[in-house]
Amino acid sequence: MKIFRRLLFWLVFTPLLIFILVQAYFFTQICWWINHNPSSTSFMRHQLEVLQEKNPNVKLQQKWVPYARISNNLKRAVIASEDDTFSEHDGVDWDAMEKAYQKNLKKGKVVSGGSTITQQLAKNLFLSGERSYVRKGEELIITYMLEMCMDKERILEIYLNVVEWGVGIFGAEAASQHYYGISAAALGPAQAARLAVMLPKPRFFDKNTGSAYLQRRTEIIVRRMNAAELP
């Protein structure tokens, strides 16, 4: 009986200890990134591995630029397209999560996450691209860590510098140079809106820049941008 109780203790204690240590690691990293810029993310490293399977010499395109050197047009466009309540919520838009949950129930699988900008950043920084409720739970924990440690401006700054914008293209500066041959600071409203619309499927739109949907959605985001509240 004693052996059974000891075994049960370790079966419960060991996973719990691992979970706590993993969360402590995430929290420590986030605290460091308050004043230091991430050199890469989990998602970037994964994409690099995928690309290097075909070309071992390939490198990602990414250049960090501070918040002030990213066009307000792009900031407004991304908020309008991806998360129009970004400046108001605490990291999670529960209404959007509920809609995504109902959609997933109808489809019988996880097809939508209802993620905010903060949640997308949490996923990019630490997690895989796998869609599951376990991963979603971890994403929520990291999201609240980010919101607790950082202000909205810093969250948006990191997001705009690490988000994927095409095959091997990460961050606003690399995207601006790749698609328009200009800096992220020089983006006009229509250019910024087009980049924002690409975010849900960046690799697809990188190869389909003439998409009719891309053009229609860009026009909608241009009209919405002025109402987007910057942090």
Side-chain angles (χ1 to χ4, degrees):
M1 195 66 179
K2 226 180 239 188
I3 295 174
F4 176 75
R5 282 200 301 266
R6 190 173 295 172
L7 179 62
L8 185 62
F9 172 80
W10 283 109
L11 286 174
V12 173
F13 178 77
T14 303
L16 181 61
L17 178 61
I18 292 171
F19 174 79
I20 292 171
L21 290 175
V22 169
Q23 307 316 307
Y25 166 75
F26 290 158
F27 186 74
T28 302
Q29 281 281 80
I30 289 169
C31 289
W32 175 256
W33 287 331
I34 294 172
N35 297 308
H36 300 81
N37 301 326
S39 57
S40 67
T41 68
S42 174
F43 188 76
M44 289 168 66
R45 291 188 292 273
H46 173 72
Q47 287 304 308
L48 181 59
E49 288 176 5
V50 171
L51 292 173
Q52 286 181 336
E53 288 177 2
K54 295 181 179 179
N55 179 4
N57 298 318
V58 73
K59 293 182 180 179
L60 300 181
Q61 297 178 51
Q62 194 238 8
K63 180 182 178 182
W64 187 281
V65 288
Y67 190 78
R69 285 173 50 198
I70 300 174
S71 168
N72 282 346
N73 288 319
L74 184 60
K75 297 167 191 171
R76 293 184 189 281
V78 168
I79 290 172
S81 181
E82 294 288 289
D83 185 2
D84 58 3
T85 60
F86 174 68
S87 296
E88 302 166 11
H89 61 62
D90 59 357
V92 179
D93 184 336
W94 291 105
D95 290 337
M97 289 272 286
E98 175 61 24
K99 289 177 184 176
Y101 176 71
Q102 294 301 328
K103 185 176 180 180
N104 294 338
L105 280 181
K106 288 181 181 179
K107 295 287 185 179
K109 59 182 179 179
V110 180
V111 296
S112 177
S115 296
T116 63
I117 285 173
T118 314
Q119 285 175 269
Q120 291 177 49
L121 178 58
K123 177 183 70 176
N124 288 349
L125 286 172
F126 294 110
L127 306 175
S128 70
E130 172 199 4
R131 286 184 170 181
S132 70
Y133 288 114
V134 172
R135 199 225 65 190
K136 197 69 177 179
E138 182 61 72
E139 178 187 297
L140 290 175
I141 295 172
I142 298 170
T143 294
Y144 282 116
M145 288 182 189
L146 286 166
E147 290 278 344
M148 180 174 66
C149 295
M150 299 178 183
D151 59 29
K152 293 284 188 177
E153 184 175 303
R154 180 58 173 164
I155 290 171
L156 186 58
E157 178 184 30
I158 296 176
Y159 176 81
L160 290 174
N161 273 287
V162 302
V163 70
E164 184 184 34
W165 248 303
V167 179
I169 302 162
F170 289 85
E173 185 67 18
S176 300
Q177 294 287 351
H178 177 76
Y179 293 108
Y180 300 115
I182 60 175
S183 70
L187 288 167
Q191 293 168 323
R194 193 175 182 84
L195 286 180
V197 173
M198 294 177 70
L199 285 176
K201 298 169 71 176
R203 277 166 272 162
F204 172 81
F205 288 123
D206 186 11
K207 297 176 181 177
N208 297 273
T209 54
S211 162
Y213 168 83
L214 190 59
Q215 183 58 40
R216 289 196 305 272
R217 181 68 178 166
T218 296
E219 292 169 1
I220 292 171
I221 296 304
V222 168
R223 293 195 293 271
R224 291 181 182 175
M225 283 168 56
N226 287 337
E229 182 183 346
L230 293 183

